[in-house]
Amino acid sequence: MENQRPEGKNIAQSPFFQNILKKAETYLKHPSQVAQLISDSLKKASSKKGVGALAGEVWENLQLLTRMLKAVMAGDYKGIPSSTLVGGVAVLIYFITPIDLIPDMIPVIGLLDDATLLAWFMTSIKSELDKYKEWEMTQPIKVSPAETEPAAPHNADTSWGTPKYSDRTGSDVETQTRNDI
């Protein structure tokens, strides 16, 4: 029996995906829609990352693609061809669409076409991804506001170095010096 697995290029050339490409162009006019799409894609991928079809390399590729799209949408990363941008958004739309060429409700196999399309796309834009990764390595690490908030007050013993009990005077506290050791 021949391998029935869909190929990424065939998926990308399907009429179904061609419609998604048109939808992706509309998304790009609304950065908040792209941000929501990225969030939805990462949520779906996180919930499925133990599934064989969405393990390891596919998960890493999805994260790389979403980071690149975020940087472009924020205006931080420039020079990416519009076809790459539209294609990346279209891949994410396809990924979160539950009914595609192989419905996601079919366990494991339902994610296979998503993973195959993502792998094909990532391979087709490899040089662009390499440029992005080089650029990304030169960027300072951004700390989110939640990480910069002051720590919650703690209940540390502020009596360090003072007598612990009121029945002891400061002079009867024994201390050891380096010379005593």
Side-chain angles (χ1 to χ4, degrees):
M1 187 171 134
E2 277 189 43
N3 188 350
Q4 298 285 322
R5 216 170 92 180
E7 291 197 22
K9 186 176 182 180
N10 294 342
I11 294 169
Q13 293 173 344
S14 72
F16 183 78
F17 191 76
Q18 294 304 307
N19 286 333
I20 289 177
L21 282 169
K22 290 176 188 154
K23 192 174 183 179
E25 290 175 5
T26 304
Y27 267 64
L28 287 169
K29 294 174 185 169
H30 306 281
S32 63
Q33 284 185 320
V34 176
Q36 186 61 52
L37 175 65
I38 290 170
S39 175
D40 292 347
S41 298
L42 291 173
K43 281 179 194 166
K44 178 180 177 180
S46 292
S47 70
K48 306 286 186 191
K49 103 175 153 177
V51 178
L54 197 65
E57 190 177 339
V58 175
W59 170 242
E60 289 172 22
N61 282 338
L62 185 69
Q63 290 180 314
L64 177 60
L65 179 60
T66 58
R67 285 196 317 271
M68 184 173 74
L69 290 173
K70 279 182 190 177
V72 169
M73 296 309 294
D76 296 334
Y77 184 66
K78 297 176 181 13
I80 185 170
S82 59
S83 59
T84 300
L85 193 56
V86 171
V89 170
V91 166
L92 294 184
I93 293 170
Y94 187 90
F95 179 70
I96 66 164
T97 303
I99 305 295
D100 46 39
L101 295 182
I102 301 176
D104 292 348
M105 283 81 68
I106 301 170
V108 182
I109 296 171
L111 290 174
L112 189 58
D113 63 324
D114 298 352
T116 302
L117 176 65
L118 179 64
W120 171 81
F121 181 73
M122 298 301 275
T123 301
S124 71
I125 64 164
K126 183 176 180 348
S127 64
E128 197 56 50
L129 290 171
D130 289 344
K131 287 179 200 171
Y132 171 74
K133 284 191 270 187
E134 282 180 32
W135 173 84
E136 187 180 44
M137 295 299 290
T138 66
Q139 300 308 298
I141 297 172
K142 292 182 180 178
V143 180
S144 67
E147 294 173 20
T148 59
E149 290 178 9
H154 55 79
N155 296 325
D157 182 357
T158 58
S159 65
W160 185 82
T162 61
K164 291 265 187 199
Y165 305 101
S166 60
D167 63 337
R168 295 181 71 180
T169 64
S171 61
D172 71 347
V173 175
E174 295 178 26
T175 58
Q176 210 176 25
T177 64
R178 286 200 178 276
N179 296 338
D180 295 339
I181 300 177

